[in-house]
Amino acid sequence: MNKPLTAPLSTAGLDAWLSYLEALHPSTIDLGLERVAQVAQRLEINPGKAQVITVAGTNGKGSTVRYLETILQASGYRTGVYISPHLRVYEERVRIDGKQQPAALHVQAFAAVEAARGDTSLTYFEFGSLAAFWLMQQLPLDVWILEVGLGGRLDAVNCIDADVGILTSVGIDHVDFLGPDRTGIAREKAGIFRAGKGAVIGEPDFPAEVVAELKAKNISPARVGKEFNYRVTDEQHWHFTGRESELRDLPMPQLPLPNAATALMALELLALPVTEQAIRQGLSKARESGRLQLMAGNPDYLLDVAHNPHAAAFLRDYVQRRFPKRSVYAVVGMLKDKDIAGTLAALEPVVDAWYLADLEGIRGASAAELADALSTTAKQRPLTQFSDVTQAFTAACSDARDCGEQPLVLVCGSFYTVAKIPEAE
């Protein structure tokens, strides 16, 4: 008979609590709102007067959250942000006024959730989501910005009603949970929208039948290419046109531009005024670790967590546009439940040499599996396999330095891959 788990003491460290959360539920993912809503009610989770923005989508959630956060802070509002997964340390998951919360506060929040849950079973993500909400409601915040973990309709984050819901993109991913086609996935992600509240869709090819279903539920989404638009005017500027606003000659941001436009449309629908000066300042300031993150060095290296074909295609286009004459040395590690062949095929046009790495853990794909997937699609390029990401990165940097040009080392394929790379040498 298995010994019952015992919760750590409130004086225990963060690592002890995270180990407890990992062992608490038999499944990593257990979609559904009933259990998490019960515990949220016991915790009396309530944003109060704060406006809530919920962000869902296959790709682009993290950068959209960051744009919202930096612009709202520049306008003088107090923000609480919940994201997942973290890249390097768990404390990244909750930011208050742009600052990560210390481990001791996370432990305090975990203890509060544990005391409230009784015999209700919670997954790691559900437990952490409730803890994040508990942390945020301890302070008088103006806006809660919440990133959906998986899907939308049945995700733990969706137990909080959004004043403005954002759907950034719809791609084929997590098919075991969301379904095999874009229409079904779009329907699941659109479950974050609420009747009579603001809704923004940044996916240009959003299924028409799902739009019709939303309108039948008194949800009128603002869609990119229809109710709002954006266009690049030169290398440094772009224009945005919303339902009721027009902004010209905005500064070109470092993070993906489509997500900046989506964030601006959401801010137009938010019941809080935002100044043009704050928008310009926030766009210029927005940065996100592991997302189009260029690290200057010898050689330069670009970190991006792209792990599906949709994200890989965007990354490929970005590299072609920003670094058209550079040789690209690609360090890639992926999870085996991702579309490995499709992701690598999307990257292939910009890659001059591959450095494929094993990812540890039961979900991690081996370098050999990546090589097998690549061989069916790629042109002949130098390819080397490594037992871990660090070795692959070291070899890529060494070869890049020896090439005598201005090379770029590209690291991508998974959050786990990027997390292995130092942010500065």
Side-chain angles (χ1 to χ4, degrees):
M1 182 178 292
N2 293 332
K3 184 179 179 180
L5 286 172
T6 301
L9 298 174
S10 59
T11 54
L14 180 59
D15 287 344
W17 273 96
L18 293 177
S19 295
Y20 174 67
L21 267 58
E22 289 172 347
L24 193 58
H25 195 282
S27 301
T28 303
I29 299 170
D30 187 6
L31 293 177
L33 295 181
E34 183 177 354
R35 291 171 297 102
V36 73
Q38 287 175 351
V39 182
Q41 185 175 16
R42 295 173 199 158
L43 286 165
E44 298 182 340
I45 298 296
N46 189 340
K49 296 180 180 179
Q51 293 281 294
V52 176
I53 307 174
T54 299
V55 184
T58 304
N59 298 301
K61 297 188 296 291
S63 55
T64 302
V65 166
R66 184 65 81 172
Y67 284 127
L68 293 166
E69 180 185 28
T70 54
I71 293 170
L72 286 165
Q73 284 184 312
S75 283
Y77 296 115
R78 299 202 66 189
T79 59
V81 167
Y82 173 52
I83 63 169
S84 67
H86 59 273
L87 188 59
R88 291 181 171 84
V89 295
Y90 187 88
E91 292 92 321
E92 297 170 15
R93 294 191 178 213
V94 180
R95 297 193 296 267
I96 304 295
D97 294 330
K99 297 181 177 61
Q100 295 178 19
Q101 297 305 284
L105 288 183
H106 284 276
V107 168
Q108 186 180 355
F110 289 152
V113 175
E114 177 65 20
R117 77 175 182 88
D119 60 358
T120 302
S121 179
L122 296 172
T123 66
Y124 180 101
F125 177 74
E126 291 168 341
F127 205 116
S129 298
L130 288 166
F133 304 154
W134 186 89
L135 272 176
M136 287 195 284
Q137 77 172 10
Q138 305 307 306
L139 296 168
L141 303 177
D142 298 303
V143 186
W144 289 21
I145 308 171
L146 310 178
E147 179 183 335
V148 167
L150 175 65
R153 182 176 65 91
L154 298 176
D155 187 88
V157 168
N158 202 33
C159 75
I160 306 292
D161 289 333
D163 295 290
V164 178
I166 300 173
L167 205 171
T168 57
S169 63
V170 179
I172 302 297
D173 203 3
H174 299 296
V175 294
D176 291 342
F177 299 98
L178 304 180
D181 61 85
R182 292 185 73 253
T183 298
I185 292 172
R187 187 176 289 115
E188 286 296 313
K189 293 183 183 299
I192 64 166
F193 298 142
R194 297 295 191 268
K197 299 291 186 177
V200 181
I201 297 176
E203 167 59 62
D205 187 28
F206 195 78
E209 65 185 89
V210 182
V211 173
E213 293 169 5
L214 291 173
K215 290 183 176 180
K217 298 176 182 177
N218 192 29
I219 298 168
S220 299
R223 295 164 293 171
V224 67
K226 297 184 181 296
E227 287 78 19
F228 72 100
N229 291 277
Y230 67 96
R231 63 183 179 89
V232 176
T233 55
D234 58 51
E235 291 185 359
Q236 301 299 321
H237 300 94
W238 62 290
H239 292 347
F240 169 82
T241 304
R243 279 176 170 166
E244 300 177 358
S245 64
E246 182 173 3
L247 299 168
R248 303 179 66 81
D249 296 321
L250 293 169
M252 190 66 69
Q254 177 175 307
L255 296 173
L257 181 58
N259 302 327
T262 301
L264 292 189
M265 186 64 240
L267 291 172
E268 183 178 308
L269 299 178
L270 195 68
L272 293 172
V274 175
T275 67
E276 182 173 339
Q277 179 182 357
I279 289 172
R280 293 179 179 278
Q281 182 179 337
L283 289 172
S284 298
K285 186 178 179 181
R287 302 287 188 277
E288 186 75 356
S289 294
R291 292 166 176 88
L292 301 180
Q293 183 181 12
L294 182 64
M295 308 300 298
N298 181 25
D300 296 340
Y301 54 101
L302 181 68
L303 308 178
D304 195 272
V305 296
H307 55 267
N308 55 48
H310 183 277
F314 183 92
L315 177 59
R316 174 201 64 218
D317 294 344
Y318 177 83
V319 170
Q320 287 176 327
R321 184 172 65 255
R322 283 287 306 273
F323 311 103
K325 297 181 179 180
R326 294 203 190 191
S327 297
V328 176
Y329 297 69
V331 177
V332 184
M334 295 189 67
L335 298 177
K336 62 178 63 177
D337 56 5
K338 301 300 179 182
D339 182 356
I340 295 173
T343 301
L344 298 180
L347 290 170
E348 187 273 331
V350 297
V351 175
D352 294 282
W354 296 95
Y355 298 77
L356 306 179
D358 295 347
L359 272 193
E360 58 191 31
I362 59 174
R363 293 178 63 201
S366 68
E369 288 174 305
L370 301 187
D372 287 343
L374 189 59
S375 66
T376 64
T377 60
K379 299 175 183 177
Q380 292 301 313
R381 298 280 192 270
L383 184 155
T384 316
Q385 300 178 37
F386 299 86
S387 60
D388 63 61
V389 172
T390 302
Q391 290 181 3
F393 178 69
T394 300
C397 289
S398 177
D399 290 349
R401 281 191 288 265
D402 291 342
C403 79
E405 302 172 0
Q406 189 182 19
L408 178 72
V409 173
L410 172 63
V411 183
C412 62
S414 173
F415 279 84
Y416 298 103
T417 305
V418 173
K420 298 288 186 181
I421 309 300
E423 291 194 294
E425 291 189 304

